[in-house]
């Protein structure tokens, strides 16, 4: 099932991540490798123009064959083949790198499996509850400000262990004086914005955002519904009353930006975010908590996890960045238009997947990610 | 899975026909009936505006819950309840009529289950073969003409046993002299039309048809593909070479009309069709043959089955027709705009479902039905 | 200016009707004729596929060159050339026929010039008044019924003087007993329909009509606006309060059909209309009145003029109809899908243009014509 | 006339720039000012949400009243009123600033008047020539590179004389070592890109760019057509053979970016552009040349004028930027999403309008501006 062109069916995620190992490792490097099926490349290539014809993303939900059982058989087959290959072949740096990319890629799709499944179920008028309730009784810590002086800093990474090409290389960057909030914006604050007419006042909004608000009749975050004066939100736990202590999520960049203007602040740049938090431990509320939903942030040191935080930085290449050669060069660089950078990971991200230099990116109008707001201001 | 807004998922057909019995018989007439689920009406009401909110047809493929297993449980439950109801309740004429409508309705959806499943699988680049090959070696009988004189005839029915509201009442109709072909147009003839530039010459086409030809880049019937100079067509038997002896099918009204003009003839009116064939036995190639595909017409007396035949008659009410009262009044009458009448049944129709007065109807641009061509001419 | 793909700019109407004479008479029949400009065919061919490439209808408003002055020069030139041609060439039947078609064609565009200009001005938020007020103080005559018995009648014409190809030939038709109203439905009656919730109750509507009502949020005829509880309508006289005595106009077939069902009646077939009124004189409120707006029908014998009356007859060929050969064969026949027949002429029609057999046709969802309602019922 | 939602009719530009003075100066500051017409605000407010309802941009071509003559009368009236106001009122800093903004705003619309008129005429299949030929016989200077070292530079301005809010304030920025080309890319070079299959090879393109290339079937810059193996381009001089010595223009960001990748280089950032050329005199080929078309760049010191040069910088606020208060706060800041910065001015820009800190911005897919390419590379 695929309820929007933005999301993919669960079966497709399972098959596509498997295809990644088959296509980039087994077919190129394993001797006498026999493909599981000659159809895999036609069905599971996501966007690698160099790897043959691409099945339209918006139609992934229409592929009822191979079946779910055949897809699991495909996964088993490739997994065994990869294991056999690794046991019989010396681990060159190239193979190690490809394995690392394959695993990181699978982590990304694990996260999408959650966000996409949530979206897919949300269409159902019966609001299916797929996991048990996880009612948090924690209280959100109050917002305080961390202040930084101007000066030359370093941004990005040079790939010790693993990084994506878009995080590289380390480069100098001049920071201007700023403050950044210790905690993300809560549902309580966001409900104040709604009640204060935030969605009715053009002055808070970027021009394109305001067009979408009117066209799509946005009045609240994605998944929110009002019943008898109370806000409810759909999650994998079903339709539940909105908890005012949780970080607000499922908002577009336009909503994050409008909220920040209403609140008298602004969003941070991605460099400010990285400069402020590169020394923090990547602890927090991740997919391992198995709630697939943000939790109130009671510990301000938990800046990672919970919600991806929109920055005001459009997604663009770093100075001296070199895209990878070959098919993997298509991994990140070709999406560098009309997208905004998000930082920090979410409640659907595997904890081991995140790091201070990690750059996520989505178009400014998208809302199905666990996206939220951290405020900043000039000093 | 639902590959176009025209078709429905198999699971939906199973649930919707069950809902029909639950909604119109059990809930209205069975004492103390307990619904299987409070969600059924929200999910399975197709278009009965009087029966509550209608889930958008184009999103039926997005309802992953209830599951297939739950849907079969729903069918079992309602079937048992209907049986119990019939055994314990005197069979009034009203109940008998509703049961008859429910069964005829289920037959209609059995047919749609085939046409829709075919369409849904056709999207798959691997061309899945779902049933075994049925290669017919029969030869099509040559076209001859049956000629009729002018005069007053009677069209329609007055409902002995069963009829739909759109077939009623019997009424007088003045027939003009005409001839009608003994057999439908074959793939061979249609391939001649294609090769003669039929799809490239505006003069053969209705204006709206020509717009679609250009916009959709139609060059052949739905499901046809050319490989190395040969036409192939997808069916539930997979992708097979087109058999020139079979009746052409999966064409729009516009194509049927254009073909008839190219051939120097015209399509019959629905009254001509009925006048010519009301005395014929409803024998032929129906769903019971289990090929789900037309077969060459070697016996001209088999005018029923094989392919639904487009008439040149727009779908309109008969004189003195009275729509049913209540919800069933929505069954047929409200679709009387922008549709054309088809006659005769197809290889996906249950044989017991067809009769000489039966009026099927589809928009002139649709092609996923087993629709074909029978020629006529003025005399 | 062209405010919708349905309408054309005034300049285009002027040029296109001129092109018609140039293309079909001068270029084919006048010796040594020199075209006014080599661009005319590219710009002014409306839909004659046989006459070369067609400039997209929806972009006619984008042709700022030739200018208005050049267009009038084109008209003067062709007019002089046609006059010279007629004075120097014997008037064969072919030429006489083409001249007649050219003149009838120009009358059709005179009518469109009014309906299109009205639409084009209606977009303007300042509601321009282009002609002086014509406030009628007449009162509408009450509705009575004319009743007819069943029997064989004759419909259509065989072209004495002039007729379009779609009116031919005379043919027998079996009429069923019916009554038809003496006067069209008034704004007062239509306002009752609106206030009674006519636009909110699916049961009155054809399925496609109901979809449009919801999608376009129709709540009243085209051009109507409610201000402080009163209905106003835009006409070439500006924005005026709706006069309850006038015939309702600017409604779609779907609205006419829904109104008739609400009122407990139905629309007439085109054969009923013709059968009832073929003996009436073609007198009434036509374009010559120069109000370009319907007037209250105080004389029931005035069945022609005022508003085109939607019939329940889809636009289809008459028995034994033969389309013209050559380019003029495209004149009417190719539009015979998804359109409904209207009868009787309107306040924008030249009186000499109308006759009892005249068949106008528009898609059922269109509203920019002066279209209205005459009720009928079974007997 | 308005041939696309991106452009406006000439009449609208004339009226809107007049409205700007009326709305922001006369109505707010001139005592007893009487509006020329109560309709102006409804018709000519472009996008100032705070200034009342906005007439849809895409429908500006549908406003046939007021007429052209009335629009000129409006201009005359407001001009006289402004002059009278300035002669009778002390020139406060606020008024002087508003007058300056009004004049700069009018210069921007003078430029748009040219680009929009060109687009509007380009739709016409007769390729109207509006101005005399200006065939340049100059030869383009060869490309050389200017190289810069890393270090802290200053970007932006603090508004001595005049600047737009988006250029402010002056701020520090760390530059990385780079080289920038002395001249823009020529049509000759761009034709090489086309012939080398640049539009057929996904690898050169951003993902969104590649989607548009396929969807819109782009094969060359806007306005280019191939006739018998030769490229022609429409300009206000009519359809002319492409001059290989001229800078390429009417390309999207995606095309500029793809070309730069094909050529083995990249586009500059806007900071690199400003850092390299802030010391240059703003001389070159501007609107005052009255060719409304780029000319070959024979003098490398002419970096301004000719074509706006796409940078790889998304349009974003400068550090510590403060949007203006009130309506003028809507002038620039609200467009800061999904747009790219262009630098340097074009053949349609008034020379006095450009400066080294000037930031123009358009969405990356737009092509109707005189937009071109200057290459850069890392060092």
């Amino acid at each position: 099932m695929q309820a929007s062109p933005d999301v993919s069916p669960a079966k497709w995620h399972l098959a596509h991540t498997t295809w990644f190992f088959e296509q980039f490792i087994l077919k190129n490097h394993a001797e006498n490798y026999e493909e599981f099926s000659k159809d895999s490349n036609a069905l599971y290539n996501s966007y690698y123009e160099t790897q043959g014809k691409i099945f339209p993303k918006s139609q992934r939900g229409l592929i009822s064959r191979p079946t779910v059982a055949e897809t699991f058989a495909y996964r088993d087959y490739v997994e065994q083949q990869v294991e056999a290959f690794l046991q019989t072949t010396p681990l060159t740096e190239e193979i190690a790198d490809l394995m690392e990319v394959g695993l990181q890629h699978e982590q990304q799709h694990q996260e999408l499996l959650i966000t996409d499944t949530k979206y897919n179920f949300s269409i159902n008028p019966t609001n299916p509850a797929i996991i048990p309730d996880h009612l948090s009784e924690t209280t959100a810590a109050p917002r305080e400000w961390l202040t930084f002086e101007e000066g030359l800093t370093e941004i990005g990474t040079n790939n010790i262990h693993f990084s994506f090409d878009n995080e590289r290389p380390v480069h100098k960057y001049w920071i201007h004086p700023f403050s950044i909030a210790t905690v993300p914006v809560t549902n309580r604050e966001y409900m104040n914005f709604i009640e204060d007419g935030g969605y009715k006042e053009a002055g808070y909004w970027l021009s394109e955002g305001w067009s979408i608000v009117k066209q799509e009749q946005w009045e609240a975050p994605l998944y929110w519904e009002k019943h008898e004066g109370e806000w409810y939100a759909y999650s994998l736990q079903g339709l539940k009353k909105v908890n005012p202590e949780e970080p607000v999520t499922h908002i577009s960049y336009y909503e994050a930006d409008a909220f920040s203007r209403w609140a008298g602040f602004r969003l941070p740049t991605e460099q400010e975010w990285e400069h402020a938090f590169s020394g923090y431990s990547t602890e927090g509320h991740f997919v391992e908590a198995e709630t697939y939903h943000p939790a109130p942030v009671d510990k301000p040191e938990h800046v990672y996890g919970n919600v991806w935080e929109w920055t005001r930085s459009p997604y663009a290449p770093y100075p001296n960045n070199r895209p990878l050669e070959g098919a993997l060069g298509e991994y990140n660089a070709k999406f560098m238009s009309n997208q905004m950078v998000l930082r920090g990971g979410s409640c659907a991200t595997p904890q081991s997947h995140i790091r201070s230099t990690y750059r996520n990116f989505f178009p400014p109008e998208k809302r199905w990610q666990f996206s939220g707001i951290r405020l900043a201001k000039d000093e």
Side-chain angles (χ1 to χ4, degrees), chain A residues 163-169 321-324 328-329 331-333:
Chain A
S163 62
F164 282 116
D165 53 329
N166 64 4
E167 304 168 58
R168 300 191 292 259
N321 174 259
R322 300 260 172 274
L324 298 179
L328 291 180
Y331 203 87
N332 279 305

Side-chain angles (χ1 to χ4, degrees), chain A residues 15 129 148 196 231 235 243 253 264 314 330 367:
Chain A
F148 298 85
D196 195 42
W231 284 112
S235 76
N243 177 354
Y253 174 76
E330 300 187 48
R367 317 207 295 174

Side-chain angles (χ1 to χ4, degrees), chain A residues 26-333:
Chain A
L26 294 176
K27 285 170 70 175
N28 289 343
H29 300 279
E31 264 180 62
N32 303 321
Y33 175 69
E34 284 187 33
E35 283 184 278
F36 181 77
S37 156
K38 65 175 174 39
D39 296 324
S40 300
N41 206 40
L43 294 174
Y44 306 133
N45 179 7
S46 52
Y47 57 72
Y48 298 86
E49 302 276 355
T50 50
Q51 306 297 302
K53 209 176 157 197
I54 297 170
F55 189 78
K57 178 170 184 188
S58 59
Q59 296 187 14
R60 287 175 187 165
L62 306 181
I63 299 304
S64 57
R65 299 288 180 283
T67 61
V68 172
E70 288 164 340
T71 302
F72 277 111
Y74 178 40
R75 284 182 72 82
D76 289 345
Y77 176 80
V78 169
E79 193 170 322
Q80 286 161 18
Q81 294 286 318
V82 168
E83 280 175 10
F85 168 70
L86 291 177
Q87 280 158 13
T88 59
T89 317
L91 190 67
T92 63
E93 194 180 323
E94 182 186 5
I95 299 297
D97 282 356
L98 284 170
M99 280 300 298
E100 183 68 47
V101 172
L103 293 168
Q104 296 276 345
H105 174 255
E106 183 130 353
Q107 284 188 314
Q108 291 179 306
H109 280 276
Q110 282 172 358
E111 177 167 347
L112 287 169
L113 198 54
I114 292 164
T115 55
D116 293 6
T117 298
K118 179 173 181 178
Y119 188 85
N120 284 335
F121 278 128
S122 76
I123 298 296
N124 198 309
T126 66
N127 290 312
I130 301 303
I131 61 165
D133 267 23
H134 281 85
L135 196 59
S136 173
E137 305 204 348
T138 326
T139 303
R143 177 165 55 242
E144 295 179 9
W145 296 97
L146 305 170
T147 300
F148 298 85
E149 294 187 356
E150 74 169 346
L152 205 56
T153 187
E154 289 197 336
I155 297 294
T157 178
N158 284 330
N159 196 14
I160 307 145
H161 304 316
F162 178 78
S163 62
F164 282 116
D165 53 329
N166 64 4
E167 304 168 58
R168 300 191 292 259
V170 172
H171 60 280
K172 293 176 191 154
Y173 185 88
W174 186 267
I175 286 281
H176 298 267
F178 74 101
S179 291
I180 193 164
T182 49
V183 289
V185 168
T186 64
N187 285 329
R188 173 173 288 112
E189 293 173 291
Y190 202 82
M191 288 189 276
N192 288 341
F193 167 65
I194 296 174
E195 264 158 54
D196 195 42
Y199 282 89
K200 312 236 180 263
E201 173 54 47
Y204 300 133
W205 296 81
L206 287 168
S207 180
E208 291 194 334
W210 184 240
S211 294
I212 295 178
V213 164
K214 285 184 296 183
Q215 186 187 307
E216 304 285 322
Q217 302 182 289
W218 283 355
E219 305 185 327
L222 182 63
Y223 302 133
W224 286 34
E225 305 171 15
K226 208 168 197 172
H227 295 289
E228 297 171 13
E230 296 269 17
W231 284 112
Y232 289 75
Y234 176 72
S235 76
L236 291 177
Q237 301 165 34
L239 190 69
K240 300 285 165 195
K241 202 178 282 190
V242 168
N243 177 354
E245 298 293 324
E246 291 167 1
V248 67
T249 190
H250 295 302
I251 51 163
S252 64
Y253 174 76
Y254 296 121
E255 288 161 299
D257 177 73
F259 176 89
S260 75
R261 206 162 294 152
W262 170 80
F265 302 107
R266 62 169 173 85
L267 300 179
T269 65
E270 63 167 322
Q271 290 87 3
E272 288 169 343
W273 205 104
E274 186 172 330
H275 184 67
F277 298 131
S278 63
Y280 282 57
S281 156
T282 54
E283 293 193 8
H285 186 68
F286 289 103
V287 73
E288 288 79 4
E290 294 185 9
T291 72
Y292 315 129
H293 194 69
V297 179
D298 54 344
K299 299 191 182 122
E301 64 270 25
H302 284 180
V303 296
Y304 292 94
N306 246 324
V307 290
W308 285 105
E309 292 167 9
W310 286 109
T311 73
R312 77 188 310 180
S313 300
Y315 182 44
Y318 280 166
N320 271 296
N321 174 259
R322 300 260 172 274
L324 298 179
E325 287 184 18
L328 291 180
E330 300 187 48
Y331 203 87
N332 279 305

